[in-house]
Amino acid sequence: MASSSKANLAEQDEGEEAEEIEHFNDFTLASSWERFISEIEATCRQWLADGPKRLLEKGAVHLDSSDNIYKVKSELKNAAKIYSMEYYFEISGKIAHWNCTLHDLQLCFGVKEFLVISPQSASGVVLDAPEATKLLSAVSIALANCSSLWPAFVPVHDPSRKAFIGIQNMGTIFMRRFEADRIGSQVPIKFMHLEGLYELFVSKFAYCMSDHSMHLFRVHLLMKLTYQTLPNDEDNYDDIQEADTESAKSETSPGCDNPNRKHWDDDCPWNEWYSAEDPVMGFDLVVTWSEKVVESSLEMAEMENASPHEAEKWILAPNLYPNLDSSKGDRIGFASQLHLLVNALEMSFEAPFIEDFVSVENPGSDNLESTMVIPPPTVLDRVLKDLFLEDPQLPDFAKDEHKSSRAIKGAPVESLFAQFCLHSLWFGNCNIRAISVLWIEFVREIRWHWEESQPLPKIPANGSIDLATCLINQKLQMLAICIGKKRELNEEFEDCIGTKDNASANMEEVNKVGDESSSFHAQSQAFDEKRDSLLTPEGFNGSKTVESKFSANAQDVHSADKSTLDSIRRGSAGPVGSMKLLKLCQSLHAPFTQSAPLMTEDMHEERLHAIETFGFSCNFSAQLERETLSSDMSAFKAANPGAVFEDFIRWYSPRDWENDESEAKGPSTDLTEGMNVDWPPQGRLSRRMSESGNFWRKIWDEAPILPASEQKPLLDPNREGEKILHYLETMQPHQLLEQMVCTAFRASADTLNQTNYGSLKEMDTKMDQLYLTMASTLRPLQVNLLSNTSDTIEDLQRLCVVFEHVEKLLILAASLHRRFRQVPQISEAIFSNYYNFYLPTMGIGLADVDTQKEFDMKLQLSQNERQVVSNMFTPPTANQSWRKVLSMGNHLNGHEPILREIIFSMHDNASDNHYASSSPRDYQQDTETYRMYTCGTSNDLRGLLSPLRMLAIECH
């Protein structure tokens, strides 16, 4: 019993002891501040354990200002306040001086990864100094417990001062302190110069404060200066061009270096239609010096007078127009106006006649927007005068034409209709009402030229029709030919009247002006006189018609014995080789024939449609060509009296004459030698020509014996001219707008294609792609497949977006090229870099472009490129002198740096101080004990100091 009671007592004592242990209170984390430190420590331990790669997987945020810096964020609570702690880190890489992608604190203090702890308030800074110190101490304790060497920073003072205090455990007996502050105004004069900044840095560690210039301190110095070109106002641009032209006089560049330039693009091809904003606002030039060791303030004074040309590196950074890669509707160019033209095309289906969009009585006029205003008559008159201004020299329609331009069924950029389309883009903001008014007046002016027999301007008078162009351009070419024929008839008729001596006879001829046969008879006399002269050897040899079809035989032309038939032969261009007539032993002569009548595309389509409807046969083809065939037969009869139908077939359609074997070998005897010849020719008509009821033979029997000079012209200029004018006056609106859209796109692209942008391969590729895209998108308009419900309208609107992308790139390329003609490698490098930056946005709508990321490029210049860039910094003129208040040194052509950044540092050997005995061996080396970073201008100074206990200052 005694033993059991003792055992119970022992168990009871053990239970009481265990209960006391379970209810033990740990008072080491009793205070809220200590719990706050513990929370910081736990967060830091977690970040240290995860590492950069794990933190990226957990959603670390990438900084837009850097390509390689990320951050993670955690919220901490202390009493009633909430703080935000951010950890900034890099994936890889080494901290380099003047790296533009560095975080501000990295650049200032030379750290790689760091913490920033700040209150979650409106200002985001700690305004109470004791609170800032206490907060920094808490972070320092937590990092020491984690054995972390991360520096920590706390933002203090006013946010505009960008002030920080910081601390970093160096892993030794050393502790680094950081301080950053800013002087925003009234910067002391001494701090505007290098000498004063040097003395400020030395004062932080020197024992004697009386005279720093008498003591020698080995201070390491790094300096970076940033210069900026003057804004691109007009007087400055002229000065830059004049300076650049002096060294480029030997170069020939069309339309460049105009001394009377008022705007940067006055000599660019698009300037005739609009003036573009210069996409290059200017350039920043960053000049850096290599590290130097300075021992006195006198050396700093000498360095302030050093030329930027002595610097180690020159880095050029272009400043492009804000939001150049986006569109907010405020940029005017071909693309914006083409988009309006597409809208007009969509509205053109609302009325059957063009006049309906002008007439107030039109029932659908209420649907027209009130913004669709019509320009005043003065503007209309100016446009018409520009369109119909007679130029004595016809423009070269194929000049600077892109190789794929003709794939678009429009009109050449210099042609009359293309110029009309380009004017329409800017007439009344390219609305359907303004286009209708301009078209009506345009056609009215064309009718005046027709009635007055005045030649149409900007239309080639080569007597041909380009079927690769749009139908309206073909009609205008046809009308120009008709006007020319009409003028010839009028001139010949006036000459005929002038030869009459009798006044009454003269009056009678005048009354017959409207008689078509009289006018044609007058033409025939002149024509016959010309043809008769060609019977001579000289005239025959000069005949291009005979040379192109037949081989001339001069001996037949000079035959001594002419028969009676030769005396009545008319309209002969000469014998055709050794061919003889079937019924007469006479040479077969080729006649002068009229040219085949010209036809536009719609006329060809009508003929093809007729062939498809009735089928192709010999008789049907003869019916289609009846007038031409009858004219050729009449001319052949006149040139070959006594000829038969078979003779005509042998000359006109050799494949329908089947020669015998003896005929195929050809004659073996020369007629001039008086020997027998193989006559008559042996052969027969083909099967289709020998059929009964052959239409060709019927036409032959009915054809009169008339040379071409006495025949009625195949082309009736009066009839064809009136048909063309009727077509232009009665066009449906959508037919007009379809051809206008095709021509406007082609003419706009051809205008831009004339731009001189150097040898930029990316730009060449984009222009090639643009033409191919336009050709495929505009194809439905070229074959009349468009309807008001067609998806083609949406495709055209997307094409306008593509056109705008290319137009912006081309204007940028032209601006860069004219600045760097002497060193094209600079413009090529800048454009190529921007092209790669801009390329991802070119396949989508401009409204979807992310404009938050800005283009940032740094291009290091070689020695031979520095002088060209230096010329861009022209000395300020009298008009610009008020902009510059020179108070800093290191001037570049009279320009002081807009920003000066300097890093002062002091290095000591730890073995030389009283801490050496307790310092680890790894730290018995040269250590950066003091560092000061300053940046700013003459009006602003920011300084950042990091002594070991280490400082930083920024001046602006």
Side-chain angles (χ1 to χ4, degrees), residues 374-386 423 426-428 438:
I374 300 176
T378 54
V379 178
L380 179 61
D381 293 341
R382 186 169 62 249
V383 171
L384 293 175
K385 287 181 181 179
D386 185 74
H423 274 289
W426 312 96
F427 186 77
L438 184 59

Side-chain angles (χ1 to χ4, degrees), residues 451-674:
E451 294 176 351
E452 299 296 329
S453 299
Q454 297 297 320
L456 290 176
K458 304 178 179 66
I459 297 292
N462 53 8
S464 62
I465 297 177
D466 189 357
L467 298 179
T469 61
C470 64
L471 185 57
I472 293 179
N473 187 69
Q474 297 178 36
K475 295 290 185 181
L476 293 177
Q477 288 179 335
M478 184 80 164
L479 184 61
I481 295 172
C482 292
I483 292 176
K485 296 290 185 182
K486 186 178 178 182
R487 287 171 60 90
E488 290 178 2
L489 294 176
N490 293 339
E491 291 174 358
E492 292 173 358
F493 181 74
E494 292 175 358
D495 294 341
C496 180
I497 294 177
T499 60
K500 302 297 183 179
D501 296 331
N502 194 328
S504 59
N506 189 11
M507 195 64 185
E508 183 180 355
E509 292 295 330
V510 172
N511 293 333
K512 294 182 180 179
V513 171
D515 190 352
E516 192 176 287
S517 61
S518 299
S519 62
F520 288 134
H521 181 69
Q523 181 193 25
S524 301
Q525 293 180 350
F527 193 86
D528 190 43
E529 292 174 0
K530 298 176 183 177
R531 295 298 181 261
D532 290 342
S533 65
L534 294 175
L535 293 178
T536 63
E538 294 80 1
F540 174 74
N541 292 334
S543 174
K544 296 182 180 179
T545 305
V546 179
E547 287 180 356
S548 62
K549 277 190 173 183
F550 313 104
S551 60
N553 191 335
Q555 293 180 353
D556 287 341
V557 177
H558 290 288
S559 178
D561 299 328
K562 290 189 176 180
S563 66
T564 306
L565 294 174
D566 289 333
S567 61
I568 60 174
R569 191 187 308 276
R570 293 180 298 167
S572 171
V576 182
S578 60
M579 293 181 66
K580 302 294 182 181
L581 297 176
L582 291 173
K583 301 299 182 181
L584 300 173
C585 188
Q586 296 289 333
S587 297
L588 190 150
H589 283 246
F592 284 106
T593 59
Q594 296 190 60
S595 300
L598 298 174
M599 291 188 295
T600 55
E601 184 179 23
D602 58 335
M603 299 169 67
H604 283 285
E605 290 177 354
E606 290 177 1
R607 298 173 71 87
L608 292 176
H609 180 69
I611 292 175
E612 292 175 357
T613 303
F614 298 101
F616 184 81
S617 65
C618 177
N619 290 340
F620 182 69
S621 64
Q623 292 179 10
L624 289 178
E625 303 289 342
R626 181 184 181 91
E627 293 184 359
T628 304
L629 195 59
S630 177
S631 173
D632 293 344
M633 288 179 175
S634 297
F636 185 84
K637 285 183 177 181
N640 298 278
V644 294
F645 177 68
E646 287 78 2
D647 291 323
F648 177 77
I649 294 299
R650 291 167 59 209
W651 168 73
Y652 196 84
S653 180
R655 65 188 182 91
D656 286 313
W657 178 258
E658 299 174 357
N659 289 321
D660 290 342
E661 186 176 353
S662 59
E663 173 80 6
K665 295 179 181 179
S668 58
T669 307
D670 195 303
L671 185 63
T672 61
E673 297 180 0

Side-chain angles (χ1 to χ4, degrees), residues 608-855:
L608 292 176
H609 180 69
I611 292 175
E612 292 175 357
T613 303
F614 298 101
F616 184 81
S617 65
C618 177
N619 290 340
F620 182 69
S621 64
Q623 292 179 10
L624 289 178
E625 303 289 342
R626 181 184 181 91
E627 293 184 359
T628 304
L629 195 59
S630 177
S631 173
D632 293 344
M633 288 179 175
S634 297
F636 185 84
K637 285 183 177 181
N640 298 278
V644 294
F645 177 68
E646 287 78 2
D647 291 323
F648 177 77
I649 294 299
R650 291 167 59 209
W651 168 73
Y652 196 84
S653 180
R655 65 188 182 91
D656 286 313
W657 178 258
E658 299 174 357
N659 289 321
D660 290 342
E661 186 176 353
S662 59
E663 173 80 6
K665 295 179 181 179
S668 58
T669 307
D670 195 303
L671 185 63
T672 61
E673 297 180 0
M675 300 179 67
N676 294 331
V677 295
D678 189 7
W679 183 87
Q682 302 299 315
R684 58 187 174 274
L685 291 174
S686 65
R687 182 177 180 180
R688 69 166 190 156
M689 286 296 177
S690 58
E691 293 177 351
S692 60
N694 182 271
F695 199 74
W696 282 56
R697 186 177 292 276
K698 182 179 179 181
I699 297 176
W700 170 265
D701 295 337
E702 297 176 354
I705 303 176
L706 285 175
S709 59
E710 299 179 9
Q711 298 175 12
K712 178 182 177 180
L714 295 176
L715 175 65
D716 186 349
N718 294 290
R719 181 185 62 187
E720 296 298 332
E722 289 296 336
K723 288 171 62 177
I724 293 171
L725 288 170
H726 177 74
Y727 169 81
L728 297 177
E729 292 171 344
T730 59
M731 285 187 68
Q732 294 185 3
H734 72 89
Q735 293 177 341
L736 171 63
L737 268 297
E738 288 172 5
Q739 298 183 57
M740 286 184 62
V741 168
C742 292
T743 301
F745 269 100
R746 173 179 170 176
S748 301
D750 287 343
T751 301
L752 295 177
N753 189 56
Q754 299 173 12
T755 306
N756 184 9
Y757 52 78
S759 56
L760 299 177
K761 296 181 179 179
E762 296 90 347
M763 198 66 248
D764 292 337
T765 302
K766 293 310 297 182
M767 290 300 296
D768 294 341
Q769 293 175 355
L770 175 63
Y771 276 97
L772 296 178
T773 304
M774 288 193 301
S776 61
T777 306
L778 297 173
R779 188 167 291 114
L781 277 67
Q782 302 171 9
V783 293
N784 298 322
L785 296 179
L786 184 65
S787 63
N788 55 348
T789 59
S790 174
D791 294 336
T792 307
I793 298 295
E794 297 181 3
D795 295 337
L796 292 174
Q797 292 173 347
R798 285 191 288 267
L799 179 60
C800 293
V801 175
V802 175
F803 197 100
E804 183 173 359
H805 286 305
V806 178
E807 186 176 14
K808 289 180 179 179
L809 285 176
L810 186 136
I811 294 176
L812 173 63
S815 179
L816 292 173
H817 173 68
R818 64 176 54 244
R819 283 177 166 87
F820 301 107
R821 285 189 300 272
Q822 292 179 271
V823 281
Q825 61 270 20
I826 295 182
S827 59
E828 293 172 5
I830 296 176
F831 183 82
S832 178
N833 197 291
Y834 182 81
Y835 178 83
N836 295 329
F837 166 80
Y838 189 62
L839 188 61
T841 68
M842 297 190 66
I844 59 179
L846 290 176
D848 301 331
V849 176
D850 183 12
T851 59
Q852 294 182 355
K853 186 177 180 180
E854 297 181 357
F855 175 69

